Amino acid sequence: MSTPLRSVASSFRLPDRRQVLLGGALTAAAGSAAWLRPRRTTALLPDGALEKSVPLQLGDYHYASSTGLILPDSDQTTGIYDQVLTRVYVAPDAAPMMLLIAYGSAQDAGLAVHRPEACYPSAGYTISARSTVELRGVSGREATVLSASRGDRIEQIYFWMRIGERFPTSPIDEKSAVFAANLRGVMPDGVLVRLSVRSTNARGALDQMMAFNAMLLGTGDRMGRAMLLGKDSAS
């Protein structure tokens, strides 16, 4: 038996205005998400480039070892860093200088550079005396200073980071730098440079670390400067 024409027509109702608007919003959101998804990353450093870009001799300092530094758990850094350098430099009449450089070619909202404020407490240290100071060797930028203590061991820490072409000094600034780049469709590279000295003399250690940092940024090849300071500072 044939179905009445009226019954067939009633089964094909046009969507109401609310459904049309909702569908349009969902389509727009999907399109925006696809457009905002980062598509471009900074080229990977060649294997060993970080080691080669940082001199073994810096002024009176020379490389002594690569052990003894406070490091994050390996499972916390998996997928974040492409290359990590750890070195201890020694010089006459100076406390040993511990250097850590961690480089990652692509940072997104889920891959933030691991900061010492988390790394040291996870190793049992208490953080105190946080402040920002001049980033010696880069005009108009700042570094972060911390003191970390565990029992009778006290480390003075001077560290800074670069995300793309920005130099954030707090976790919020760091996330903002990553997000701003991601909005442009870019997954920026990132680097963390950490200097530390075992000392109870915070002022003396800071002067020592700032002087060392200036030497670090004043030497090295073009690739090294691009890795540390970004491509706009590579020349």
Side-chain angles (χ1 to χ4, degrees):
M1 182 175 65
S2 62
T3 303
L5 182 61
R6 180 176 298 177
S7 298
V8 174
S10 64
S11 66
F12 292 96
R13 295 177 180 175
L14 292 174
D16 60 27
R17 182 171 180 272
R18 183 171 53 185
Q19 291 175 318
V20 171
L21 291 176
L22 178 60
L26 292 175
T27 301
S32 296
W35 180 78
L36 291 173
R37 185 179 300 117
R39 297 178 174 85
R40 179 164 58 88
T41 62
T42 302
L44 289 170
L45 285 178
D47 288 342
L50 179 54
E51 289 277 349
K52 294 176 182 177
S53 295
V54 180
L56 295 174
Q57 182 87 29
L58 287 165
D60 293 333
Y61 291 87
H62 66 272
Y63 167 75
S65 72
S66 59
T67 61
L69 286 76
I70 301 300
L71 299 173
D73 295 335
S74 59
D75 59 347
Q76 293 178 304
T77 60
T78 301
I80 297 178
Y81 304 129
D82 299 309
Q83 297 184 40
V84 177
L85 177 146
T86 59
R87 286 182 186 170
V88 178
Y89 288 81
V90 296
D93 303 318
M97 180 68 63
M98 292 174 280
L99 169 68
L100 179 145
I101 301 178
Y103 177 82
S105 62
Q107 303 292 317
D108 65 15
L111 293 175
V113 177
H114 194 81
R115 299 175 62 89
E117 295 102 318
C119 179
Y120 275 79
S122 69
Y125 282 77
T126 300
I127 297 293
S128 62
R130 185 188 189 283
S131 61
T132 55
V133 296
E134 171 193 1
L135 174 51
R136 185 69 63 84
V138 184
S139 177
R141 303 296 186 178
E142 291 183 322
T144 302
V145 177
L146 302 171
S147 290
S149 60
R150 186 182 68 186
D152 61 353
R153 174 164 175 157
I154 299 176
E155 282 194 30
Q156 310 299 335
I157 305 161
Y158 175 94
F159 78 95
W160 55 274
M161 61 176 56
R162 175 186 63 78
I163 301 290
E165 301 305 316
R166 294 171 61 173
F167 291 74
T169 57
S170 72
I172 293 177
D173 291 342
E174 180 186 343
K175 296 288 187 182
S176 175
V178 173
F179 184 65
N182 290 169
L183 283 178
R184 300 194 305 272
V186 176
M187 293 182 71
D189 66 337
V191 64
L192 180 146
V193 178
R194 189 189 84 198
L195 302 172
S196 57
V197 172
R198 290 188 64 179
S199 175
T200 58
N201 182 352
R203 181 69 252 182
L206 177 58
D207 290 342
Q208 181 186 356
M209 292 184 290
M210 292 177 74
F212 187 94
N213 192 76
M215 287 192 294
L216 174 67
L217 297 182
T219 60
D221 54 18
R222 182 182 178 87
M223 179 179 292
R225 284 188 61 81
M227 181 270 299
L228 291 173
L229 300 177
K231 62 180 185 300
D232 290 349
S233 303
S235 58

